[in-house]
Amino acid sequence: MRRIKTRIAILYGVGLLAVLLPIGAAVLLAEYRSFEQQKDRANRLASEILHRTHRVTEQMAAVFQELNATQGANPCSDANLDLMRKLVVKSNLLIDVGYVENNQMRCSSFGRNEYRVGPPSYRGDGGYDVRAQLEHPLLPGSRLVMSTDPKTGFSTLIHQGAVLEVAPADSRLTYGLVGVRSKSAIVSHGAFDPLWLANIGGTYETTFFDGNRIISWKRSDRYDLAVYVAIPRSEIDHDSGRAMLVLVPVGIGAGLVLALVVAQLVRLQRTLSTALRDALKNDEFFLAYQPIVDLASGRWVGAEALLRWRNVNGVMVSPDVFIPEAERSHLIERVTERVVQLLVQDAADLLRERPDFHIAINLSAQDFGNADLPERLRGACAHMRVHPRSLHIEATERVFLDVGQTRKTVAALRAQGHVVSIDDFGTGYSSLSYLTEFELDCLKIDKCFVSTIGTQAVTRNVIGHIIEMAKSLQLRMIAEGVETQEQATYLREHGVEFAQGWLYAKAMDIRQLVQELNTAET
Ligand code: C2E
Ligand code: CA
Ligand code: CA
């Protein structure tokens, strides 16, 4: 019982794992996927920003080239203002082009309205003075970046968004453009942390996770510029949460399917033993009797009781299936008890009327471990009012592996008058020592040896040895599974007294057995 419980406990454990593992895998997969997706996103954004930066820088360079060519003339001449306007119209990125002197915008494509631009934020590595976050007086709220050539005073103004408008305004991402050598942000969405730069070293591209955010760097191969994009952890978690919404149900589904399979296994494990229990309660068993024949005279001297199970669905279940299961689930003693009950019901009259006729029942190893067995069988015989010698007992070799209680039980059964046979001899743990250690009456030669008679099978000589051995131990012999006349003749000629097999009769119900016995007499 404990073994079955452990097995079921293990199956339940496996079932639980079957549910949890796919869910765990789904969660990990969701996190991994969203991490990879966000890394990808950071990379793409950085590439986009760098691409725009290059375009802006190229346009600015072209503008400076044209404006600087006018050097020497009045920077705010009508012709120059005209040129400035043309340059702004031509460019899709420049907001304004103008001339700065003493931190004052003197003139621009908007005309000669002067306004203060303040001192530069820093001197860029391209040699330009940069004023970041500048508000144009004609464009309130604007955030412009102004680059000024310090030698000529000519300046370009671009919208910060021309480079940075790559993500939704409300996004929690931080990104921007940084001067590599100055390590300061030129334009930035969200606060830039110079520590992020520490990792980039000499590489032109890198993406890493600093524990809190994914940071992607791309450095320009043309200018002293680098782009960074930082995606915070909350964004990754948010994303993996969304992925989990899809993947976890899939994981749960897979888990449930696996659990169902395991549950089905548990059920199968249990159904046979449960069905056996129910069969015992619901009277689904009956006995069939196969005659044992005296080889010399052809007379039926006894019969072997073979258990039959027709289950609730009317299906016959083979004893080769349910007997081993009954032994495994420790139900065999109850099965044997039922065999004895059925025998008492069926055969009391027959055995009482024919004291020279016997019926053999099959017992399992566990039956012999029960010290009450001889008493139970004595009681059954008393109830039938027959001598115990009318009840024979068959036990397979396996029974004789345990010499302790089994030896005592066998001795007690024989002392009581039962005839004890060793069944299926030679098929299992065959060893002569079993035969010498136990006092036995009879040996049943297994049908697998009988079937070799008259054939070329390599084992065809074994039966001869078994017969000789039985003779030397003074055991009587019953040959099982006799199907041909040739086998019967061989057995008789070699001194085997009894036989059982389809040559004579298949197992039959008790009424038929009685009928056959009666007809044989008349
Ligand atoms: P077993 O004790 O060796 O029983 C003989 C088996 O050989 C029976 O199968 C029988 O139907 C079959 N048989 C008889 N004559 C022939 C023949 O000429 N040719 C062939 N090929 N087979 C023949 P069955 O009834 O299916 O029983 C199978 C096994 O189940 C039995 O083998 C026995 O070990 C076990 N068994 C049957 N009834 C009981 C029982 O009440 N208690 C226990 N513990 N085991 C039983
Ligand atoms: Ca048997
Ligand atoms: Ca047998």
Side-chain angles (χ1 to χ4, degrees), residues 290-343:
Q290 185 177 37
I292 295 169
V293 180
D294 179 346
L295 271 169
S297 65
R299 215 165 43 87
W300 292 9
V301 296
E304 178 180 1
L306 293 163
L307 191 56
R308 297 288 175 258
W309 175 19
R310 181 179 288 118
N311 75 9
V312 266
N313 307 318
V315 176
M316 294 296 294
V317 184
S318 163
D320 288 326
V321 172
F322 71 78
I323 294 289
E325 179 58 29
E327 288 173 350
R328 256 199 301 278
S329 50
H330 300 261
L331 289 168
I332 191 68
E333 287 183 60
R334 288 178 59 194
V335 169
T336 299
E337 209 173 293
R338 173 53 50 93
V339 169
V340 174
Q341 273 174 9
L342 288 168
L343 181 76

Side-chain angles (χ1 to χ4, degrees), residues 51 59 83-84 90 134 157 161 175 178 188 212 256 268 273 290 343 376 402 408 451 462 481 493:
H51 174 71
Q59 288 196 12
L83 175 64
M84 285 175 190
K90 218 162 67 179
L134 194 74
L157 281 119
Y175 44 84
V178 168
S188 175
N212 286 317
L256 285 179
L268 277 179
S273 62
Q290 185 177 37
L343 181 76
R376 288 267 314 113
D402 165 31
K408 287 189 206 138
S451 66
V462 177
E493 283 173 358

Side-chain angles (χ1 to χ4, degrees), residues 290 304 307-308 320 362 364 423-424 447 480 483 501-502:
Q290 185 177 37
E304 178 180 1
L307 191 56
R308 297 288 175 258
D320 288 326
N362 292 281
S364 291
D423 202 354
D424 302 342
K447 52 182 171 284
E480 289 186 309
E483 294 180 352
W502 296 345

Side-chain angles (χ1 to χ4, degrees), residues 219-235:
R219 194 169 155 178
S220 165
D221 51 358
R222 279 164 253 176
Y223 310 105
D224 180 50
L225 295 168
V227 168
Y228 73 91
V229 174
I231 300 184
R233 187 184 202 120
S234 57
E235 199 82 351

